[in-house]
Amino acid sequence: MPPDVIRGREWHGRGISLFGWTNEPDDSRRPPLISEHDGRIIGVNGHLADPADVAKLPDDSVGGCFSAWIARDGELTASTAINRVCPVFYAETPELHIVGSRALLVHLIAQPVDRIDHDVLALQTMVRQGFFLSDETPYQGVSALRPSARLTVRGGVRTIAETPLPQAAPVPASARRRRAAIGELAEALVATVAPLRELGEPVNLALTGGRDTRVLAALLHAARVPFRATTNGLDPHPDVVIAREIAARLNVPHTVIAPPQTARRDAVLVEHPLSRAWETLRTCEGMTSAYESIVSYLPYSGRPTMSGQSGETLRAGSLNLLQTDLGDEALRRRIETTFRKDAKLFTPEADAHARELARPWLARADRLAALDHMYVWYKVGRWQAGARAGALRRGDPVRPFLDNRVVRAALALDQGWRLSEEVIYTLILRLAPELRDVAIEGKPWRFAASLPSRRRLPWRARPPAGHLAAEKTGGGWSWRTSPGPALTDVLREQVLGSLDALAPIVRPDEVRALFDGPVAAKPALAWHLYTVSTLLTGLYPGKRPEGLAEITVSRPDPAR
């Protein structure tokens, strides 16, 4: 962000200093950046559902999407919420304990000399997945605090305490108990958005024909929060058709933003990968791949916006949703391949490191729960946390599915029950019965697809509405996943030119084989390698690359 939009506050006590910076223009959004409560100095990274709860911190029952920093003479505490999407990083030197929300800053303060030392072995997971499947960071000596954890420095001694993630209860045996369990989740969701009633302007909801944003539309309706809906697409697309019907049934304004209706081009011009990587490294500190599209900077806006990001939390996590076979052996393979993806590419040392990271998850008896918790720990707590750093430059979007209380309530429900989608279907009907007969986009509800014909579950009067599927066209083409020869050449040159830096974690011959053809065989993996390569060879910190020409990427099948 430009330096002139940053403001800061600081506090100094005996043996403790607390510094805070923000791009928010003022303290109109409560609580302020740093505030005092009963002799404690409290800073909040993120937001609280109820700003008055700041005095309760650190407390696992507080709602919101946040991490908390509490200081007084001789003592500092930093704590994460249940999904650590607002991260806490820490390091230690003989003289200092450094704790912060930016990993690179923590590392630089801890360094005895003006130099960055990378933890190369830790970066093996960045190459595999494009984010961290561990508590490691790209920087030597810097770790990420785990979910629901408190780090305390008192008298120069650091201690860390963790609260385990909630263990899911069995599926309630009766319809009444099922409704009560879902009711607790509904109450947590309503509490998250209830303060939005007082904002004086409607929430803008990015609404599609799918599951997660439908939950949010029902939620805002039930909480009596004014909102408007926006959908991107053409009129015939199921997203537009279904979103329009949802908006009509809930009597909210709906805007459709159509893509430009121009003749299809057979190629696109994209920014040079080095510029893209520099911006991603700067924003996400080497913890998100340049394969991802990170939101660029715009002046901060306090206008309330909402999308269905991380809605998979209510459906047992994206790792479980990838599964069609829920047998124990299939779930075990999912855990192992998540940690050891593309195993033959990696050195024995890197593969041994991945096996060690996987070991405690493979040791869990309940595989569904393990994959559910892996989603919260890593897909949200590391990938989402990194990508979210881009969005925070523009504002702080409201994310009900990331709320501390909502995640706790969701994880307390049986994973198989949530995975069936029975929970969110019943939740939608509880919040907005008007949506009962609205079709769903894409695949049918999981529980409905598995029901024998004519069978009705006892707590439902009639089966869910059907689904709409979009006609398959060439419109899903992406230059990132089909990079073409010219872009592949740029990726290849950088990666193969820095194999010495990558050698501790990847096998050079396997990397060369990846780029053997005119087009990278695994584009996402090529992007991950490119990102780690630029990190290790010092692209950032440093000046933004200049004078780089855009790259022409041709459609693989321009006739489509």
Side-chain angles (χ1 to χ4, degrees), residues 82-83 165-169 311-321 331 334-335 361 364 366-381 407-419:
I82 193 167
N83 53 21
L165 298 191
Q167 294 300 306
E312 297 96 338
T313 302
L314 273 57
R315 295 186 279 141
S318 62
L319 296 173
N320 278 321
L321 288 166
L331 294 175
R334 171 66 64 184
I335 296 172
W361 297 98
R364 293 197 181 192
D366 188 335
R367 311 288 194 197
L368 278 177
L371 287 162
D372 188 23
H373 289 185
M374 281 170 58
Y375 169 79
V376 172
W377 274 53
Y378 304 127
K379 196 65 186 288
V380 178
V407 177
R408 288 188 178 282
L411 293 183
L413 302 180
D414 179 80
Q415 280 85 16
W417 189 29
R418 279 190 285 136
L419 186 58

Side-chain angles (χ1 to χ4, degrees), residues 240-271:
V240 175
V241 173
I242 296 172
R244 182 176 285 133
E245 182 175 358
I246 291 172
R249 295 208 181 191
L250 300 182
N251 195 29
V252 298
H254 180 232
T255 302
V256 176
I257 302 174
Q261 297 297 293
T262 59
R264 286 184 178 175
R265 296 180 296 176
D266 62 0
V268 295
L269 283 174
V270 302
E271 68 177 328

Side-chain angles (χ1 to χ4, degrees), residues 17-55:
S17 289
L18 186 64
F19 302 88
W21 296 272
T22 183
N23 58 318
E24 296 176 16
D26 53 46
D27 277 337
S28 58
R29 197 168 69 106
R30 315 303 292 178
L33 183 61
I34 293 178
S35 55
E36 183 173 357
H37 301 269
D38 300 323
R40 302 184 307 153
I41 309 302
I42 302 179
V44 175
N45 178 22
H47 68 270
L48 304 180
D50 183 353
D53 283 344
V54 64

Side-chain angles (χ1 to χ4, degrees), residues 102 165 235 291 340 364 370 372 410-411 447 494:
R102 298 288 290 175
L165 298 191
D235 276 352
Y291 174 80
R340 297 187 60 232
R364 293 197 181 192
D372 188 23
L411 293 183
F447 70 89
Q494 169 64 37

Side-chain angles (χ1 to χ4, degrees), residues 4-308:
D4 60 354
V5 305
I6 304 297
R7 61 187 182 87
R9 292 193 62 187
E10 56 190 76
W11 174 88
H12 304 277
R14 178 172 50 81
I16 302 289
S17 289
L18 186 64
F19 302 88
W21 296 272
T22 183
N23 58 318
E24 296 176 16
D26 53 46
D27 277 337
S28 58
R29 197 168 69 106
R30 315 303 292 178
L33 183 61
I34 293 178
S35 55
E36 183 173 357
H37 301 269
D38 300 323
R40 302 184 307 153
I41 309 302
I42 302 179
V44 175
N45 178 22
H47 68 270
L48 304 180
D50 183 353
D53 283 344
V54 64
K56 298 179 181 178
L57 294 172
D59 188 315
D60 289 336
S61 68
V62 171
C65 181
F66 62 90
S67 52
W69 316 76
I70 301 156
R72 52 188 163 195
D73 280 346
E75 183 176 322
L76 172 70
T77 295
S79 66
T80 52
I82 193 167
N83 53 21
R84 63 170 170 183
V85 76
C86 294
V88 172
F89 301 105
Y90 61 95
E92 180 179 353
T93 76
E95 295 82 24
L96 291 173
H97 291 278
I98 307 102
V99 191
S101 60
R102 298 288 290 175
L104 179 55
L105 182 57
V106 169
H107 178 69
L108 291 173
I109 294 172
Q111 285 292 83
V113 295
D114 187 13
R115 184 186 68 205
I116 295 175
D117 290 331
H118 293 108
D119 188 344
V120 180
L121 192 59
L123 287 164
Q124 58 86 26
T125 188
M126 268 290 295
V127 175
R128 294 180 201 265
Q129 294 285 6
F131 63 95
F132 274 82
L133 284 165
S134 70
D135 303 322
E136 300 161 308
T137 72
Y139 312 108
Q140 284 283 1
V142 180
S143 299
L145 193 62
R146 291 181 173 181
S148 289
R150 297 182 189 181
L151 180 154
T152 300
V153 178
R154 184 183 296 115
V157 177
R158 184 184 71 206
T159 58
I160 296 175
E162 299 177 38
T163 301
L165 298 191
Q167 294 300 306
V171 180
S174 68
R176 180 181 62 81
R177 290 180 179 176
R178 282 189 288 271
R179 287 194 296 269
I182 293 172
E184 292 180 13
L185 178 59
E187 289 172 7
L189 281 162
V190 170
T192 297
V193 301
L196 300 176
R197 296 186 200 123
E198 313 302 324
L199 288 181
E201 62 176 312
V203 174
N204 185 64
L205 171 64
L207 181 63
T208 71
R211 289 139 171 83
D212 301 329
T213 60
R214 182 179 309 216
V215 173
L216 297 181
L219 170 62
L220 292 169
H221 172 75
R224 303 187 307 281
V225 174
F227 73 101
R228 56 175 174 257
T230 304
T231 306
N232 291 288
L234 296 173
D235 276 352
H237 193 281
D239 270 351
V240 175
V241 173
I242 296 172
R244 182 176 285 133
E245 182 175 358
I246 291 172
R249 295 208 181 191
L250 300 182
N251 195 29
V252 298
H254 180 232
T255 302
V256 176
I257 302 174
Q261 297 297 293
T262 59
R264 286 184 178 175
R265 296 180 296 176
D266 62 0
V268 295
L269 283 174
V270 302
E271 68 177 328
H272 194 285
L274 206 60
S275 296
R276 184 181 179 93
W278 184 88
E279 182 65 18
T280 306
L281 293 176
R282 181 175 77 130
T283 305
C284 307
E285 302 187 293
M287 290 178 278
T288 302
S289 171
Y291 174 80
E292 306 293 342
S293 294
I294 302 302
V295 175
S296 60
Y297 168 76
L298 281 179
Y300 188 91
S301 170
R303 297 181 67 180
T305 61
M306 193 178 291
S307 72

